[in-house]
Structures are given as structure tokens and as C-alpha cells.
Amino acid sequence: MTDTDDLSVQEKLFTSREAADYLRVTKTTLCLWRTDKRYNLPYIKISNKILYRKTDLDAFIAKHSTTTGQEAEQ
């Protein structure tokens, strides 16, 4: 196993509840986003479990972040 493999194996996976808490939304909101494809937030489905990678959640936050001044332009 290479160092790259070690990183991917060790990457933190969040349950839907944990991901919702991390994003500070409800679990229902996260489910709606997923089912109506409102946001391109990648997830992993294993059997009946939905999991989210921490790196994907962080990228989602970064993509939807604004700084003062940017809001006025939109």
C-alpha cells in the first residue's frame, strides 16, 4: 500500500447526521438537497447507508462561501 492509498483509506466519512451537523443544516435539508439534486454534493451509498467524505463537505463549504463585497455583486 502506498502513502496515497493510506490517505484515502484514512479519510473521514460522515453519516448523514454528522454531515448535516457539520454543515449546520438539518438532516432533512441534506436529504432534500440529495434527492432533488439542488447541489452537487457527492455522497457514497452503501446498502441503505449514505456517507459523505469530509473533503467533499469542505469543498462544498468553500464553493458556497462569500466574502464581504461579493454578495453585493451577485
Side-chain angles (χ1 to χ4, degrees), residues 65-74:
S65 295
T66 60
T67 59
T68 305
Q70 286 181 328
E71 292 175 7
E73 294 173 13
Q74 296 178 359

Side-chain angles (χ1 to χ4, degrees), residues 2 7 14 28 31 44 48-49 51 56-58 60 63 66 71:
T2 66
L7 290 176
F14 285 70
T28 301
C31 180
I44 301 162
N48 64 344
K49 277 265 200 217
L51 302 171
D56 291 334
L57 297 174
D58 291 336
F60 178 82
K63 181 178 179 182
T66 60
E71 292 175 7

Side-chain angles (χ1 to χ4, degrees), residues 20-74:
D21 289 346
Y22 190 73
L23 295 174
R24 297 182 186 241
V25 298
T26 66
K27 186 176 172 184
T28 301
T29 296
L30 192 61
C31 180
L32 287 171
W33 289 353
R34 187 176 62 248
T35 56
D36 71 8
K37 298 180 181 14
R38 183 171 304 179
Y39 297 108
N40 183 22
L41 182 56
Y43 62 92
I44 301 162
K45 184 170 184 177
I46 301 173
S47 186
N48 64 344
K49 277 265 200 217
I50 302 291
L51 302 171
Y52 296 85
R53 290 182 188 93
K54 182 178 184 303
T55 53
D56 291 334
L57 297 174
D58 291 336
F60 178 82
I61 291 168
K63 181 178 179 182
H64 291 88
S65 295
T66 60
T67 59
T68 305
Q70 286 181 328
E71 292 175 7
E73 294 173 13
Q74 296 178 359

Side-chain angles (χ1 to χ4, degrees), residues 5-23:
D5 293 335
D6 287 339
L7 290 176
S8 62
V9 169
Q10 294 175 4
E11 183 173 16
K12 172 76 171 145
L13 294 176
F14 285 70
T15 64
S16 292
R17 166 61 49 217
E18 293 168 330
D21 289 346
Y22 190 73
L23 295 174

